[in-house]
Amino acid sequence: MSAQIRLFMCLKDNFGALLHDPASGRTAAIDAPEAAPVEAALAATGWTLTDILVTHHHRDHTGGIEELKDRHRCRVVAPDGEADAIPGVDETMRDGGNIRIGAIEGRVIATPGHTAAPATLYFPAEKLVFAGDTLFSIGCGRVIEGTMDEMWQSMLKLRALADDTMMYCGHEYTLANIRFAKTIEPDNAVLAARERAVTQLLAAGNPTAPSLMGDEKKANPFLRADLPDVAKAVGMAGAPAAEVFAEIRTRKNKF
Ligand code: ZN
Ligand code: FE
């Protein structure tokens, strides 16, 4: 039996997620923005928390760790480059390293840019990726600790994932991201379709995550900075992709 996922909201607009392996009974929280919604998700599913996998050190992803660890004695696994800034870490994960939650096997993809050493968690057999604040649906995280070049390289690593991978991200920012993306690619049909779908999801009170990597590749401007039409749209025809990416990211900061 394959992985089961429970997605829920935390804080103002953070996604929380539980990843459950029916074979072993292990359950991992992907980040822990705050304890109470994680506890509510555990109660609703009947799952027992055994692990917390942390994508990066920001407080809105780590604030619930200590309380959850106190109660559940769960294992806390964090990116090796950020473990000092994260409470309760038992194990660290490095780029290319393996992650195991019972029978569920994944791989760490280091995606620097938003922070210095965030971990994107990729589960190829399950066709799942948890991108933290590196990649959002139709957006990407602010480049805070890394460089624009690094963030663009991280985008390329994520763009290499299979189209049928379901992407879970750290925040419900999708509609605002779409509004911005339309300023870059107003005629993108996949983007227009995503806007219609997202508007319906939100109107029904549903999350816009996960999204398909195939759709992200076709509609997320931050994954498309090396396309001639996108460079042209920001007045940078012929410029290096990392510079086009930087321009799009800078425009989004001001949007
Ligand atoms: Zn963050
Ligand atoms: Fe965040």
Side-chain angles (χ1 to χ4, degrees):
M1 218 171 143
S2 55
Q4 294 175 269
I5 294 176
R6 175 97 177 182
L7 186 72
F8 49 92
M9 298 311 297
C10 297
L11 302 171
K12 185 167 147 274
D13 51 30
N14 278 72
F15 287 121
L18 297 178
L19 175 67
H20 177 70
D21 171 38
S24 64
R26 292 192 79 94
T27 301
I30 311 298
D31 288 335
E34 54 177 342
V38 176
E39 295 291 359
L42 291 167
T45 53
W47 299 341
T48 301
L49 189 67
T50 54
D51 305 84
I52 300 175
L53 304 178
V54 186
T55 62
H56 67 295
H57 71 81
H58 284 160
R59 187 73 186 162
D60 63 311
H61 299 257
T62 61
I65 291 175
E66 285 164 298
E67 197 179 329
L68 289 166
K69 190 176 180 181
D70 272 356
R71 197 167 308 137
H72 299 279
R73 302 282 151 207
C74 50
R75 175 181 72 143
V76 177
V77 188
D80 56 0
E82 303 192 359
D84 290 351
I86 296 169
V89 176
D90 298 298
E91 289 176 31
T92 60
M93 46 188 167
R94 56 177 176 76
D95 189 25
N98 296 321
I99 321 160
R100 176 181 284 279
I101 303 297
I104 303 172
E105 289 183 64
R107 187 174 88 226
V108 177
I109 305 174
T111 49
H114 178 63
T115 54
T120 290
L121 310 171
Y122 180 44
F123 299 89
E126 313 288 339
K127 300 181 187 298
L128 291 174
V129 68
F130 296 91
D133 286 358
T134 296
L135 188 66
F136 296 128
S137 183
I138 318 296
C140 75
R142 277 178 189 265
V143 178
I144 300 170
E145 295 175 15
T147 65
M148 290 287 191
D149 261 27
E150 285 175 320
M151 190 64 156
W152 171 240
Q153 291 306 319
S154 294
M155 294 294 108
L156 290 178
K157 288 183 186 179
L158 298 182
R159 198 174 70 178
L161 304 184
D163 283 359
D164 59 354
T165 307
M166 300 300 282
M167 194 274 286
Y168 288 82
C169 58
H171 289 269
E172 178 60 274
Y173 290 161
T174 312
L175 190 58
N177 288 340
I178 289 170
R179 288 189 178 124
F180 171 74
K182 285 166 72 181
T183 69
I184 308 290
E185 291 193 279
D187 302 323
N188 183 319
V190 177
L191 182 59
R194 180 88 177 119
E195 181 176 33
R196 288 191 293 274
V198 160
T199 303
Q200 283 184 4
L201 284 168
L202 293 173
N206 291 319
T208 65
S211 57
L212 270 175
M213 277 308 300
D215 288 342
E216 295 297 329
K217 294 178 200 179
K218 289 180 190 148
N220 187 327
F222 298 100
L223 296 174
R224 297 166 60 78
D226 56 351
L227 298 183
D229 283 350
V230 171
K232 207 166 130 196
V234 295
M236 295 178 71
E243 288 177 24
V244 177
F245 171 83
E247 170 64 18
I248 299 171
R249 186 57 256 184
T250 303
R251 287 188 188 195
K252 176 68 167 66
N253 291 348
K254 298 173 193 154
F255 184 68

